[in-house]
């Protein structure tokens, strides 16, 4: 977080007993110390604090990759001092980025000629990728409206209420209205019919999600494309589609190759994907690919030469590390199509194992789908005595980090637990998690109802206030 809180008087210094063989004085917590300390002490102080972090391998809340091969780890460390933006100084790194863009564009069936280069860029993650794609749509729509002599001050994007928060950030930061299709119980993705009904002349694009964060479900991009073609023909508009494939972009080509969601659909003009999710790279890499050069307005691209030769750049930030780009290229050539398919099939199979184990308890409704991102989203059939948040809290005692959350409008009365199945989540861990969930359920059954206790406290407070 950028925002911080003021420390209390008892929280102003850092003490490390184990590092006392190197240093005895405590360190100020929020100010730079006056004097240097031995490197061993600095390492030990930080290492001791980090021990209290959760285990990334057991963080089932996150889609982000937590394991890579040692060879790739070595490549990352060997390139950690290279600045990605210095293209003239690190031309091979730039070449590897361009190869990644083209490999991913072909994976997404971009309509490229034999020797035609793909249009795209590496980003810090899908959040930056979405910002760039959104800016391209906004600028292209504004240019068209200006040329037609029409107002261009009220752009909007149509999405489902299940979109990730980065879409809300884009809308707020870049002054675009976000028109959300509400969800409903049993249907937790954007309804293409309702989405197209919300499209108007100020809609810069409709954003479809390939792999909802809430339940992993793929939205029906094909139906959206067909309905939008019909509406565009009736109205004379040319409303395009962006596909947020942050989670599903490295899944669908391998598990569901016949599914039409990508550049095979004519209205899909750009796609983002997170390399650090099912692209199998550590956090810090995303990609955005455009259908053609015409879909990325030239005025958004900056040309600089103060780092050497002319360098085109279209990013929100400037300096960043090269290691994740190199790691992405490693995974693409190391695994190939066969390797990625094996990983995704294994993740899918482990998700089914977990789902079936939870179903056998007889206590849960499964909210996720078998087809989609390999995750299992589930809710209690009966949460009158104890709720999903209590299960999430108690699972932490076993080391598991399993998030509980409420659905967006209009399904906010539904609470869900979600387990993301990554490459490093084995069948053994899936079976172990089911056992630990059963232990938690058994313990909760012996405890007083938390919901009833809250209700009793509220009634008691009301009674007290009535007698005053």
């Amino acid at each position: 977080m950028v925002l911080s809180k003021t420390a209390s008087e008892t929280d102003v210094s850092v003490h490390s007993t184990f590092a006392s063989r190197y240093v005895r004085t405590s360190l100020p917590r929020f100010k730079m110390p006056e004097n240097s300390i031995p490197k061993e002490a600095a390492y030990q102080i930080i290492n001791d604090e980090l021990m209290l972090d959760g285990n990334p391998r057991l963080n089932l809340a996150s889609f982000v990759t937590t394991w890579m091969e040692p060879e790739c780890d070595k490549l990352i460390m060997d390139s950690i001092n290279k600045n990605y933006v210095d293209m003239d100084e690190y031309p091979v790194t730039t070449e590897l980025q361009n190869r990644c863009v083209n490999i991913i564009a072909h994976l997404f069936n971009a309509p490229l000629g034999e020797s035609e280069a793909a249009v795209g860029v590496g980003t810090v993650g899908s959040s930056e990728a979405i910002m760039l794609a959104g800016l391209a749509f906004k600028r292209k729509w504004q240019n068209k409206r200006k040329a037609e002599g029409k107002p261009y001050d009220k752009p909007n994007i149509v999405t489902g209420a299940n979109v990730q928060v980065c879409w809300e950030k884009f809308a707020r930061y870049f002054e675009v209205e976000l028109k959300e299709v509400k969800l409903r119980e049993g249907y937790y993705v954007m309804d293409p019919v309702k989405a197209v009904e919300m499209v108007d002349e100020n809609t810069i694009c409709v954003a479809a999600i390939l792999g909802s964060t809430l339940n992993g479900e793929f939205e029906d991009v094909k139906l959206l494309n067909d309905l939008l073609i019909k509406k565009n023909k009736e109205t004379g508009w040319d409303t395009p589609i962006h596909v947020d494939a942050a989670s599903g972009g490295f899944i669908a080509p391998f598990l569901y190759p016949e599914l039409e969601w990508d550049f095979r659909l004519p209205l899909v003009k750009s796609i983002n994907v997170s390399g650090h999710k099912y692209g199998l790279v550590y956090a810090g890499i995303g990609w955005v690919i455009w259908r053609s050069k015409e879909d990325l307005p030239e005025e958004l691209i900056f040309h600089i030469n103060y780092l050497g030769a002319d360098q085109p750049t279209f990013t929100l930030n400037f300096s960043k590390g090269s290691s994740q780009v190199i790691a992405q290229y490693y995974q693409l050539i190391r695994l190939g199509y066969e390797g990625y398919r094996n990983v995704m099939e294994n993740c899918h199979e482990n998700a089914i194992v977990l789902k079936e184990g939870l179903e056998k308890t007889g206590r849960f409704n499964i909210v996720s789908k078998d087809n989609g991102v390999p995750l299992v989203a589930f809710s209690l059939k009966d949460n009158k005595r104890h709720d999903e948040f209590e299960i999430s809290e108690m699972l932490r005692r076993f080391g598991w980090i399993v998030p509980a959350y409420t659905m967006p409008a209009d399904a906010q009365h539904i609470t869900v637990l979600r387990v993301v199945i990554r490459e490093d989540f084995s069948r053994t861990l899936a079976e172990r998690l089911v056992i630990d969930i059963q232990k938690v359920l058994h313990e909760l059954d012996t405890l007083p109802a938390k919901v009833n206790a809250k209700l009793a406290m509220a009634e008691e407070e009301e009674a007290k206030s009535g007698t005053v």
Side-chain angles (χ1 to χ4, degrees):
M1 288 283 291
V2 175
L3 306 178
S4 60
K5 63 178 182 180
T6 305
S8 65
E9 290 186 6
T10 59
D11 197 33
V12 294
S13 60
V14 177
H15 305 273
S16 182
T17 302
F18 191 47
S20 61
R21 66 175 59 189
Y22 308 112
V23 61
R24 292 296 306 276
T25 57
S26 61
L27 298 175
R29 189 178 295 265
F30 300 112
K31 295 181 181 178
M32 184 180 288
E34 291 294 327
N35 302 311
S36 302
I37 61 174
K39 61 182 184 293
E40 298 87 353
Y43 170 82
Q44 197 64 55
I45 288 169
I46 296 171
N47 187 62
D48 286 356
E49 287 203 77
L50 289 175
M51 287 171 60
L52 298 175
D53 268 350
N55 181 343
R57 296 280 299 276
L58 298 181
N59 179 7
L60 307 181
S62 177
F63 292 80
V64 175
T65 297
T66 53
W67 178 86
M68 297 187 77
E69 291 174 320
E71 291 79 6
C72 194
D73 288 347
K74 187 175 187 305
L75 282 173
I76 288 171
M77 292 310 300
D78 289 347
S79 59
I80 205 163
N81 59 348
K82 291 183 180 179
N83 190 352
Y84 166 83
V85 79
D86 290 342
M87 300 177 189
D88 197 47
E89 285 76 7
Y90 308 119
V92 176
T93 299
T94 302
E95 168 65 15
L96 297 187
Q97 187 246 201
N98 293 339
R99 291 181 194 175
C100 288
V101 166
N102 281 273
I103 290 171
I104 296 168
H106 282 99
L107 193 64
F108 294 167
N109 294 292
L112 299 171
E114 189 64 31
S115 59
E116 187 179 358
V119 180
V121 67
T123 59
V124 174
S126 273
S127 292
E128 183 188 7
I130 284 167
M131 303 286 172
L132 298 178
L135 283 171
F137 281 117
K138 181 181 178 182
R139 184 57 59 89
K140 191 168 184 182
W141 174 82
Q142 287 177 324
N143 289 346
K144 184 174 184 291
R145 298 284 289 183
K146 287 177 185 178
E148 294 172 346
K150 296 178 181 177
Y152 54 90
D153 59 334
K154 294 182 179 179
N156 69 66
I157 287 180
V158 175
T159 71
N162 56 312
V163 291
Q164 214 264 0
V165 69
C166 59
W167 284 97
E168 298 176 37
K169 287 183 178 180
F170 169 77
R172 191 178 303 177
Y173 294 168
F174 295 102
E175 299 180 314
V176 175
E177 179 190 2
L178 198 64
K179 298 171 69 174
E180 294 184 341
V181 178
K182 304 301 182 186
L183 310 184
R184 61 181 185 270
E185 186 171 350
Y187 195 91
Y188 304 116
V189 292
M190 179 180 70
D191 184 335
V193 175
K194 292 182 179 178
V196 173
E197 288 174 356
M198 296 175 71
V199 169
D200 59 31
E201 64 179 349
N202 294 320
T203 302
I204 64 175
C205 78
V206 180
I209 313 298
L210 194 79
S212 171
T213 302
L214 301 178
N215 69 344
E217 189 174 349
F218 291 169
E219 293 182 346
D220 193 338
V221 189
K222 175 71 165 59
L223 177 57
L224 176 65
N225 178 84
D226 294 346
L227 292 172
L228 206 46
I229 286 176
K230 183 179 179 182
K231 183 157 188 172
N232 284 344
K233 188 175 181 180
E234 292 171 352
T235 59
W237 305 333
D238 56 357
T239 308
I241 295 172
H242 174 85
V243 179
D244 179 356
S247 300
F250 277 110
I251 295 171
F254 306 106
L255 290 186
Y256 317 106
E258 301 305 317
L259 181 67
E260 293 184 57
W261 64 273
D262 52 18
F263 292 119
R264 284 171 288 183
L265 303 175
L267 291 185
V268 174
K269 302 300 183 182
S270 55
I271 300 172
N272 69 277
V273 65
S274 292
H276 60 219
K277 291 183 180 176
Y278 288 92
L280 308 179
V281 178
Y282 294 137
I285 185 69
W287 303 93
V288 57
I289 312 294
W290 283 271
R291 184 183 195 87
S292 66
K293 291 180 181 179
E294 290 71 33
D295 297 305
L296 176 56
E298 177 63 32
E299 63 263 34
L300 292 178
I301 301 172
F302 286 81
H303 294 267
I304 59 170
N305 62 7
Y306 50 80
L307 294 174
D310 176 66
Q311 299 173 10
T313 175
F314 180 36
T315 56
L316 294 182
N317 64 303
F318 198 61
S319 294
K320 68 176 179 180
S322 296
S323 8
Q324 263 66 17
V325 171
I326 293 167
Q328 182 72 82
Y329 186 66
Y330 172 89
Q331 293 289 54
L332 292 172
I333 66 168
R334 160 76 176 93
L335 294 173
Y337 190 92
E338 176 192 31
Y340 269 93
R341 185 183 61 215
N342 288 338
V343 170
M344 302 312 154
E345 287 179 347
N346 190 57
C347 289
H348 176 74
E349 290 165 6
N350 288 336
I352 298 299
V353 168
L354 177 60
K355 174 198 151 189
E356 291 175 348
L358 292 170
E359 286 177 328
K360 286 178 183 177
T361 68
R363 303 286 292 270
F364 298 105
N365 291 315
I366 305 299
V367 176
S368 50
K369 307 292 184 183
D370 288 348
N371 294 335
V373 177
L375 62 80
V376 183
F378 53 104
S379 59
L380 283 166
K381 289 182 177 179
D382 181 2
N383 60 2
K384 292 185 179 66
R385 295 188 73 253
H386 298 285
D387 60 25
E388 290 81 2
F389 293 98
E390 291 175 84
I391 294 176
S392 175
E393 183 180 340
M394 292 180 71
L395 280 173
R396 285 180 176 265
R397 288 165 28 191
F398 297 93
W400 302 107
I401 302 173
V402 178
Y405 51 89
T406 55
M407 289 290 192
D410 285 332
Q412 59 266 46
H413 59 288
I414 304 295
T415 306
V416 171
L417 292 152
R418 188 195 67 210
V419 174
V420 178
I421 309 298
R422 300 188 302 270
E423 180 187 9
D424 57 355
F425 187 82
S426 66
R427 178 171 183 150
T428 302
L429 286 176
E431 293 168 345
R432 181 76 245 176
L433 177 58
V434 173
I435 292 171
D436 290 342
I437 288 174
Q438 288 175 317
K439 289 179 181 178
V440 166
L441 291 171
H442 178 73
E443 184 173 348
L444 283 173
D445 288 341
T446 66
L447 296 175
K450 191 174 182 180
V451 176
N452 291 344
K454 288 179 180 177
L455 183 61
M457 287 177 62
E459 289 175 349
E460 185 179 343
E461 289 296 324
E462 187 177 345
K464 285 181 181 178
S465 63
T467 57
V468 174

